[in-house]
Amino acid sequence: MISLTSVRKKYSGEVSIGPVDLEIPAGGITALVGPNGAGKSTLLTMMGRLLGLDEGTIEIAGYDVSSTASKDLAKIVSILRQENHFITRLTVRQLVGFGRFPHSRGRLTVKDEAVISETIDFLELSDLENRYLDELSGGQRQRAYVAMVLAQDTEFVLLDEPLNNLDMKHSVQMMRHLKEAAAVLGRTIVIVLHDINFAGHYADHICAVKEGHVVEFGSPDQILNDDVLTRVFDTPVQIVAGPNGPLAVYY
């Protein structure tokens, strides 16, 4: 599991995260939800050691994120940030190949090539694998970045708003792929989502963050509640029965 103990990050006298105490169970999808600026992405990037802690500890599968060697941590946890700045004259296959670096150290083996091909097929990118990134739409590039992270073949996968730039169809496809990755490949996926209905339908656990603190954690049935969501988002939210489960109405 992922364990956060007394985690703090201070940006200024007015802006800070924590203290956060949180245990994210292994397996399935855990969605981080909450208003803009609540601290969701900050928590995720601290879990992935892309941002240091000011106080506290984060452990993933028993490994201290702050002190574990990078080469070892990269075989346990992978992370996709919101903003990616790869050279655009890479092909999709070359980009996905970067996900194998912790294993290959830059020298791809037959096994690495097989994992790359399997991941490309998994995210239905086979027709695009030889296309350059700057030839793709924003949504296609986003899928390629997620494929790169999955190719790293870690038990824990951290994704910061992976539905960015995806239209309705591809957002649904992406969440289905991630649900399958968690169920079939045995990954533990922690994902920052803006759409509470996507979180409610696809996540196994929902963690609500507000003003730098975890204010709710539970199953979708526990979190998709009028009072809880109205309090978290500071706007009236009503849960109604939808054809495939509860839906949050807030417009």
Side-chain angles (χ1 to χ4, degrees), residues 79-146:
I79 182 168
L80 178 68
R81 303 181 66 171
Q82 283 188 52
E83 298 177 358
N84 300 286
H85 302 286
F86 279 90
I87 300 169
T88 54
R89 295 310 289 178
L90 289 174
T91 66
V92 169
R93 188 172 185 89
Q94 288 170 331
L95 175 69
V96 177
F98 275 110
R100 298 302 300 165
F101 186 82
H103 308 276
S104 68
R105 311 309 293 177
R107 295 189 174 189
L108 296 175
T109 66
V110 172
K111 178 182 177 181
D112 293 320
E113 294 287 0
V115 172
I116 292 167
S117 294
E118 289 168 4
T119 308
I120 287 172
D121 290 344
F122 185 77
L123 283 173
E124 300 178 0
L125 290 165
S126 302
D127 293 343
L128 302 173
E129 67 174 310
N130 295 314
R131 296 266 297 275
Y132 290 99
L133 296 180
D134 60 0
E135 297 174 339
L136 305 181
S137 69
Q140 290 169 333
R141 277 197 299 272
Q142 188 73 355
R143 286 160 59 205
Y145 290 132
V146 172

XYZ file of all heavy atoms in Angstrom, residues 79-146:
562
model
N 5.207 7.440 -12.615
C 4.341 8.613 -12.489
C 4.276 9.377 -13.804
O 5.262 9.482 -14.527
C 4.841 9.546 -11.353
C 3.900 10.757 -11.196
C 6.277 9.958 -11.552
C 4.139 11.577 -9.944
N 3.093 9.863 -14.110
C 2.874 10.742 -15.253
C 2.391 12.084 -14.728
O 1.361 12.172 -14.070
C 1.826 10.152 -16.203
C 1.491 11.019 -17.420
C 2.687 11.092 -18.367
C 0.264 10.486 -18.146
N 3.144 13.127 -15.042
C 2.759 14.472 -14.635
C 1.763 15.060 -15.619
O 1.568 14.553 -16.716
C 4.003 15.366 -14.553
C 5.066 14.851 -13.618
C 6.254 15.777 -13.565
N 5.911 17.068 -12.958
C 6.807 17.990 -12.627
N 8.090 17.776 -12.848
N 6.437 19.121 -12.076
N 1.190 16.194 -15.229
C 0.276 16.895 -16.132
C 1.001 17.394 -17.367
O 0.502 17.311 -18.477
C -0.358 18.094 -15.416
C -1.461 17.765 -14.461
C -2.143 19.014 -13.960
O -2.570 19.866 -14.735
N -2.254 19.138 -12.652
N 2.196 17.942 -17.175
C 2.936 18.550 -18.268
C 4.116 17.662 -18.633
O 4.910 17.284 -17.786
C 3.437 19.943 -17.858
C 2.302 20.906 -17.534
C 2.808 22.248 -17.060
O 4.033 22.405 -16.948
O 1.968 23.122 -16.813
N 4.222 17.360 -19.923
C 5.300 16.522 -20.418
C 6.042 17.285 -21.503
O 5.438 17.915 -22.367
C 4.746 15.214 -20.987
C 3.987 14.428 -19.935
O 4.576 13.836 -19.056
N 2.660 14.457 -20.009
N 7.356 17.206 -21.472
C 8.171 18.004 -22.389
C 9.162 17.121 -23.145
O 10.350 17.388 -23.173
C 8.921 19.089 -21.613
C 8.007 19.993 -20.852
N 7.223 20.951 -21.450
C 7.714 20.068 -19.528
C 6.514 21.589 -20.538
N 6.786 21.071 -19.357
N 8.657 16.070 -23.759
C 9.525 15.206 -24.540
C 9.786 15.820 -25.909
O 8.989 16.611 -26.426
C 8.890 13.821 -24.704
C 9.083 12.934 -23.521
C 8.166 12.922 -22.488
C 10.200 12.130 -23.422
C 8.346 12.110 -21.386
C 10.390 11.311 -22.325
C 9.465 11.303 -21.308
N 10.905 15.436 -26.485
C 11.230 15.882 -27.836
C 10.158 15.359 -28.783
O 9.873 14.159 -28.821
C 12.619 15.358 -28.258
C 13.694 15.890 -27.299
C 12.931 15.763 -29.689
C 15.045 15.227 -27.474
N 9.565 16.256 -29.557
C 8.421 15.862 -30.371
C 8.814 14.991 -31.556
O 7.950 14.384 -32.181
C 7.666 17.098 -30.878
O 8.580 17.970 -31.555
C 7.022 17.839 -29.721
N 10.102 14.918 -31.909
C 10.502 14.051 -33.027
C 10.807 12.643 -32.568
O 11.574 11.918 -33.207
C 11.694 14.659 -33.773
C 11.377 15.963 -34.466
C 10.120 15.887 -35.327
N 10.292 15.081 -36.537
C 9.340 14.840 -37.419
N 8.117 15.294 -37.216
N 9.582 14.107 -38.484
N 10.214 12.261 -31.500
C 10.199 10.859 -31.103
C 8.964 10.202 -31.696
O 7.904 10.823 -31.790
C 10.129 10.715 -29.584
C 11.354 11.079 -28.741
C 10.987 10.997 -27.270
C 12.516 10.158 -29.055
N 9.094 8.924 -32.053
C 7.899 8.174 -32.436
C 7.203 7.682 -31.177
O 7.782 7.680 -30.075
C 8.251 6.971 -33.319
O 9.017 6.027 -32.540
C 9.042 7.397 -34.549
N 5.970 7.243 -31.354
C 5.230 6.679 -30.220
C 5.999 5.503 -29.628
O 6.149 5.391 -28.406
C 3.825 6.245 -30.661
C 3.149 5.412 -29.580
C 2.973 7.453 -31.008
N 6.527 4.639 -30.482
C 7.252 3.469 -29.983
C 8.505 3.881 -29.211
O 8.823 3.295 -28.168
C 7.617 2.522 -31.124
C 8.197 1.200 -30.609
C 8.411 0.159 -31.675
N 8.845 -1.080 -31.047
C 8.036 -2.030 -30.604
N 6.736 -1.887 -30.739
N 8.512 -3.126 -30.026
N 9.207 4.886 -29.698
C 10.396 5.359 -28.980
C 10.023 5.937 -27.623
O 10.711 5.702 -26.631
C 11.128 6.403 -29.829
C 11.840 5.832 -31.038
C 12.348 6.903 -31.980
O 11.777 7.996 -32.068
N 13.434 6.609 -32.689
N 8.930 6.683 -27.576
C 8.480 7.255 -26.305
C 8.137 6.155 -25.319
O 8.585 6.181 -24.164
C 7.255 8.143 -26.527
C 6.614 8.708 -25.251
C 7.532 9.726 -24.594
C 5.255 9.316 -25.547
N 7.356 5.180 -25.763
C 6.964 4.091 -24.872
C 8.210 3.330 -24.414
O 8.292 2.871 -23.266
C 5.962 3.151 -25.566
C 5.600 1.966 -24.661
C 4.688 3.920 -25.939
N 9.217 3.252 -25.280
C 10.464 2.588 -24.917
C 11.178 3.235 -23.748
O 11.900 2.551 -22.999
N 10.980 4.553 -23.561
C 11.589 5.214 -22.407
C 11.096 4.621 -21.087
O 11.798 4.669 -20.081
C 11.294 6.719 -22.432
C 12.261 7.509 -23.257
C 11.852 8.087 -24.452
C 13.573 7.684 -22.855
C 12.733 8.810 -25.226
C 14.460 8.408 -23.627
C 14.044 8.976 -24.825
N 9.886 4.073 -21.105
C 9.363 3.465 -19.894
C 10.156 2.246 -19.452
O 10.074 1.839 -18.294
N 10.945 1.682 -20.339
C 11.734 0.493 -20.000
C 13.112 0.850 -19.441
O 13.876 -0.066 -19.080
C 11.902 -0.387 -21.250
C 10.621 -0.920 -21.816
C 9.841 -1.735 -20.817
N 10.599 -2.886 -20.333
C 10.277 -3.596 -19.253
N 9.234 -3.259 -18.522
N 11.006 -4.641 -18.895
N 13.439 2.125 -19.359
C 14.789 2.509 -18.957
C 15.214 1.947 -17.604
O 16.355 1.494 -17.453
C 14.951 4.036 -18.962
C 16.364 4.474 -18.687
C 17.307 4.481 -19.703
C 16.758 4.852 -17.405
C 18.619 4.871 -19.464
C 18.068 5.232 -17.156
C 19.006 5.245 -18.183
N 14.335 1.944 -16.573
C 14.767 1.367 -15.281
C 15.192 -0.090 -15.381
O 15.943 -0.578 -14.536
C 13.529 1.531 -14.394
C 12.765 2.655 -15.012
C 12.980 2.512 -16.493
N 14.700 -0.786 -16.395
C 15.030 -2.198 -16.568
C 16.178 -2.400 -17.556
O 17.049 -3.244 -17.352
C 13.792 -2.962 -17.059
C 12.576 -2.738 -16.224
N 12.324 -3.447 -15.059
C 11.539 -1.872 -16.361
C 11.178 -3.035 -14.529
N 10.685 -2.082 -15.304
N 16.161 -1.600 -18.638
C 17.135 -1.815 -19.721
C 18.363 -0.930 -19.613
O 19.386 -1.231 -20.233
C 16.458 -1.550 -21.064
O 16.158 -0.159 -21.199
N 18.248 0.183 -18.863
C 19.315 1.196 -18.780
C 19.724 1.673 -20.169
O 20.882 1.985 -20.450
C 20.543 0.663 -18.030
C 20.255 -0.009 -16.707
C 19.394 0.796 -15.776
N 20.048 2.011 -15.304
C 19.456 2.898 -14.512
N 18.197 2.709 -14.121
N 20.106 3.968 -14.119
N 18.741 1.728 -21.082
C 18.992 2.258 -22.414
C 19.313 1.229 -23.468
O 19.435 1.582 -24.649
N 19.472 -0.038 -23.077
C 19.754 -1.102 -24.046
C 18.590 -2.078 -24.060
O 18.523 -2.991 -23.236
C 21.057 -1.828 -23.683
C 22.279 -0.931 -23.779
C 23.546 -1.751 -23.624
N 24.729 -0.947 -23.838
C 25.961 -1.436 -23.926
N 26.159 -2.751 -23.801
N 26.993 -0.643 -24.133
N 17.686 -1.854 -24.988
C 16.462 -2.643 -25.019
C 16.739 -4.094 -25.394
O 17.442 -4.378 -26.365
C 15.475 -2.036 -26.022
C 14.954 -0.627 -25.691
C 14.092 -0.103 -26.819
C 14.185 -0.619 -24.376
N 16.180 -4.987 -24.600
C 16.304 -6.421 -24.858
C 15.073 -6.922 -25.601
O 14.103 -6.178 -25.812
C 16.447 -7.191 -23.539
O 15.220 -7.050 -22.795
C 17.608 -6.653 -22.708
N 15.092 -8.191 -25.967
C 13.932 -8.798 -26.605
C 12.717 -8.708 -25.681
O 11.598 -8.424 -26.124
C 14.230 -10.270 -26.965
C 12.965 -10.968 -27.448
C 15.322 -10.349 -28.025
N 12.945 -8.920 -24.389
C 11.846 -8.814 -23.431
C 11.298 -7.394 -23.385
O 10.081 -7.185 -23.349
C 12.310 -9.233 -22.038
C 11.211 -9.103 -20.982
C 11.693 -9.477 -19.591
C 10.579 -9.266 -18.570
N 11.010 -9.604 -17.182
N 12.203 -6.398 -23.379
C 11.760 -5.002 -23.371
C 10.900 -4.707 -24.600
O 9.848 -4.062 -24.494
C 12.965 -4.058 -23.352
C 13.752 -4.123 -22.058
O 13.124 -4.208 -20.993
O 14.989 -4.087 -22.118
N 11.361 -5.144 -25.756
C 10.617 -4.900 -26.994
C 9.237 -5.549 -26.922
O 8.244 -4.982 -27.405
C 11.390 -5.427 -28.201
C 12.705 -4.701 -28.483
C 12.520 -3.308 -29.067
O 11.354 -2.878 -29.260
O 13.541 -2.644 -29.327
N 9.163 -6.728 -26.318
C 7.879 -7.413 -26.186
C 6.935 -6.623 -25.281
O 5.736 -6.480 -25.582
C 8.088 -8.818 -25.645
N 7.458 -6.097 -24.163
C 6.630 -5.303 -23.249
C 6.142 -4.035 -23.943
O 4.978 -3.632 -23.795
C 7.417 -4.952 -21.969
C 6.625 -3.966 -21.104
C 7.733 -6.205 -21.168
N 7.021 -3.396 -24.712
C 6.643 -2.187 -25.452
C 5.501 -2.492 -26.413
O 4.500 -1.764 -26.471
C 7.866 -1.624 -26.205
C 8.903 -1.094 -25.213
C 7.436 -0.501 -27.169
C 10.259 -0.818 -25.839
N 5.625 -3.585 -27.154
C 4.582 -3.957 -28.114
C 3.267 -4.278 -27.410
O 2.188 -3.860 -27.853
C 5.035 -5.172 -28.937
O 6.141 -4.839 -29.756
N 3.349 -5.004 -26.301
C 2.140 -5.360 -25.559
C 1.432 -4.125 -25.024
O 0.199 -4.031 -25.053
C 2.500 -6.298 -24.405
C 2.911 -7.697 -24.846
C 3.543 -8.499 -23.721
O 3.581 -7.984 -22.573
O 3.993 -9.626 -23.973
N 2.215 -3.156 -24.544
C 1.621 -1.938 -23.985
C 0.991 -1.090 -25.079
O -0.098 -0.526 -24.890
C 2.689 -1.123 -23.235
O 3.353 -1.964 -22.292
C 2.047 0.042 -22.503
N 1.657 -0.989 -26.212
C 1.099 -0.255 -27.348
C -0.211 -0.886 -27.788
O -1.212 -0.190 -28.039
C 2.126 -0.205 -28.498
C 3.254 0.775 -28.144
C 1.460 0.195 -29.811
C 4.410 0.766 -29.120
N -0.243 -2.206 -27.852
C -1.481 -2.900 -28.226
C -2.560 -2.686 -27.165
O -3.738 -2.485 -27.499
C -1.218 -4.405 -28.385
C -0.371 -4.728 -29.608
O -0.237 -3.855 -30.485
O 0.186 -5.842 -29.658
N -2.159 -2.716 -25.900
C -3.101 -2.581 -24.790
C -3.853 -1.260 -24.873
O -5.058 -1.183 -24.597
C -2.345 -2.693 -23.464
C -3.223 -2.685 -22.250
C -3.943 -3.809 -21.885
C -3.323 -1.552 -21.458
C -4.760 -3.811 -20.766
C -4.129 -1.537 -20.331
C -4.845 -2.669 -19.983
N -3.140 -0.186 -25.248
C -3.768 1.133 -25.336
C -4.197 1.467 -26.759
O -4.466 2.630 -27.078
C -2.822 2.210 -24.791
C -2.754 2.261 -23.273
C -1.685 3.213 -22.791
C -4.099 2.646 -22.677
N -4.256 0.443 -27.610
C -4.772 0.584 -28.971
C -4.047 1.685 -29.746
O -4.657 2.532 -30.395
C -6.284 0.837 -28.936
C -7.055 -0.303 -28.274
C -8.546 -0.050 -28.179
O -8.999 1.012 -28.637
O -9.249 -0.918 -27.632
N -2.716 1.624 -29.683
C -1.872 2.603 -30.378
C -1.085 1.979 -31.528
O -0.192 2.624 -32.087
C -0.886 3.240 -29.385
C -1.473 4.182 -28.339
C -0.471 4.434 -27.226
C -1.899 5.500 -28.979
N -1.414 0.753 -31.885
C -0.625 0.033 -32.888
C -0.543 0.788 -34.212
O 0.517 0.821 -34.855
C -1.219 -1.360 -33.131
O -1.253 -2.094 -31.925
N -1.631 1.403 -34.624
C -1.638 2.125 -35.899
C -0.809 3.408 -35.847
O -0.522 3.998 -36.892
C -3.074 2.474 -36.305
C -3.906 1.239 -36.649
O -3.303 0.171 -36.883
O -5.144 1.349 -36.659
N -0.444 3.831 -34.638
C 0.274 5.098 -34.478
C 1.724 4.910 -34.028
O 2.444 5.890 -33.872
C -0.439 5.976 -33.437
C -1.907 6.325 -33.713
C -2.501 7.042 -32.505
C -2.026 7.203 -34.947
N 2.176 3.686 -33.815
C 3.451 3.487 -33.131
C 4.646 4.056 -33.880
O 5.659 4.378 -33.261
C 3.686 2.015 -32.804
C 3.894 1.096 -33.967
C 4.254 -0.320 -33.496
O 5.152 -0.461 -32.663
O 3.601 -1.269 -33.963
N 4.556 4.222 -35.189
C 5.672 4.777 -35.946
C 5.473 6.238 -36.320
O 6.281 6.811 -37.051
C 5.912 3.940 -37.210
C 6.360 2.527 -36.873
O 7.226 2.327 -36.032
N 5.743 1.534 -37.511
N 4.421 6.835 -35.779
C 4.166 8.258 -36.006
C 4.933 9.076 -34.984
O 5.145 8.666 -33.839
C 2.673 8.558 -35.871
C 1.790 7.888 -36.910
C 1.518 8.758 -38.101
N 0.779 9.951 -37.739
C -0.552 9.999 -37.627
N -1.281 8.914 -37.830
N -1.144 11.137 -37.324
N 5.354 10.286 -35.384
C 6.046 11.181 -34.462
C 5.032 11.900 -33.574
O 3.887 12.138 -33.975
C 6.881 12.202 -35.231
C 8.086 11.593 -35.906
C 8.070 11.264 -37.256
C 9.248 11.336 -35.164
C 9.173 10.696 -37.871
C 10.363 10.768 -35.768
C 10.322 10.442 -37.119
O 11.412 9.866 -37.712
N 5.475 12.251 -32.376
C 4.568 12.873 -31.410
C 3.955 14.159 -31.931
O 2.795 14.474 -31.645
C 5.301 13.140 -30.087
C 5.796 11.905 -29.326
C 6.493 12.340 -28.045
C 4.668 10.938 -29.024
N 4.748 14.941 -32.710
C 4.208 16.206 -33.204
C 3.242 16.017 -34.373
O 2.693 16.981 -34.885
C 5.325 17.175 -33.578
C 6.243 16.649 -34.665
O 6.017 15.523 -35.140
O 7.198 17.359 -35.039
N 3.030 14.771 -34.764
C 2.045 14.471 -35.794
C 0.723 14.000 -35.189
O -0.220 13.705 -35.920
C 2.579 13.383 -36.739
C 3.827 13.785 -37.508
C 4.413 12.641 -38.311
O 4.123 11.461 -37.992
O 5.172 12.927 -39.255
N 0.675 13.916 -33.876
C -0.499 13.375 -33.188
C -1.364 14.487 -32.615
O -0.889 15.599 -32.344
C -0.056 12.457 -32.051
C 0.883 11.299 -32.388
C 1.172 10.498 -31.131
C 0.297 10.416 -33.471
N -2.607 14.170 -32.378
C -3.478 15.080 -31.638
C -3.073 15.066 -30.168
O -2.347 14.174 -29.714
C -4.934 14.642 -31.780
O -5.157 13.423 -31.082
N -3.571 16.046 -29.424
C -3.260 16.086 -27.994
C -3.725 14.834 -27.279
O -3.034 14.307 -26.404
N -4.887 14.315 -27.655
C -5.401 13.113 -27.022
C -4.580 11.879 -27.342
O -4.348 11.030 -26.483
N -4.107 11.787 -28.594
C -3.261 10.654 -28.979
C -1.933 10.698 -28.229
O -1.434 9.661 -27.776
C -3.032 10.672 -30.490
C -4.264 10.335 -31.299
C -4.089 10.606 -32.780
O -3.304 11.467 -33.183
N -4.825 9.869 -33.609
N -1.362 11.891 -28.084
C -0.106 12.028 -27.329
C -0.316 11.614 -25.873
O 0.530 10.946 -25.273
C 0.425 13.461 -27.397
C 1.218 13.777 -28.634
C 2.053 15.027 -28.466
N 1.232 16.192 -28.199
C 0.693 16.967 -29.151
N 0.882 16.667 -30.420
N -0.041 18.004 -28.837
N -1.454 12.012 -25.309
C -1.719 11.672 -23.917
C -1.776 10.165 -23.727
O -1.258 9.623 -22.746
C -3.036 12.326 -23.462
C -3.322 12.218 -21.984
C -2.433 13.120 -21.143
O -1.527 13.782 -21.640
N -2.683 13.141 -19.847
N -2.397 9.469 -24.655
C -2.448 8.008 -24.579
C -1.052 7.411 -24.692
O -0.722 6.426 -24.024
C -3.351 7.461 -25.686
C -4.829 7.692 -25.410
C -5.656 7.593 -26.676
N -5.513 6.293 -27.329
C -5.721 6.100 -28.628
N -6.047 7.114 -29.415
N -5.597 4.889 -29.140
N -0.203 8.015 -25.518
C 1.170 7.521 -25.669
C 1.951 7.710 -24.373
O 2.734 6.839 -23.965
C 1.872 8.240 -26.822
N 1.747 8.827 -23.684
C 2.434 9.066 -22.410
C 1.994 8.036 -21.367
O 2.811 7.533 -20.589
C 2.127 10.479 -21.884
C 2.757 11.597 -22.673
C 2.010 12.702 -23.063
C 4.111 11.566 -23.016
C 2.573 13.747 -23.787
C 4.684 12.604 -23.733
C 3.904 13.688 -24.116
O 4.469 14.711 -24.819
N 0.695 7.745 -21.326
C 0.204 6.738 -20.382
C 0.801 5.375 -20.715
O 1.182 4.612 -19.820
C -1.334 6.697 -20.383
C -1.844 5.523 -19.542
C -1.907 8.005 -19.838
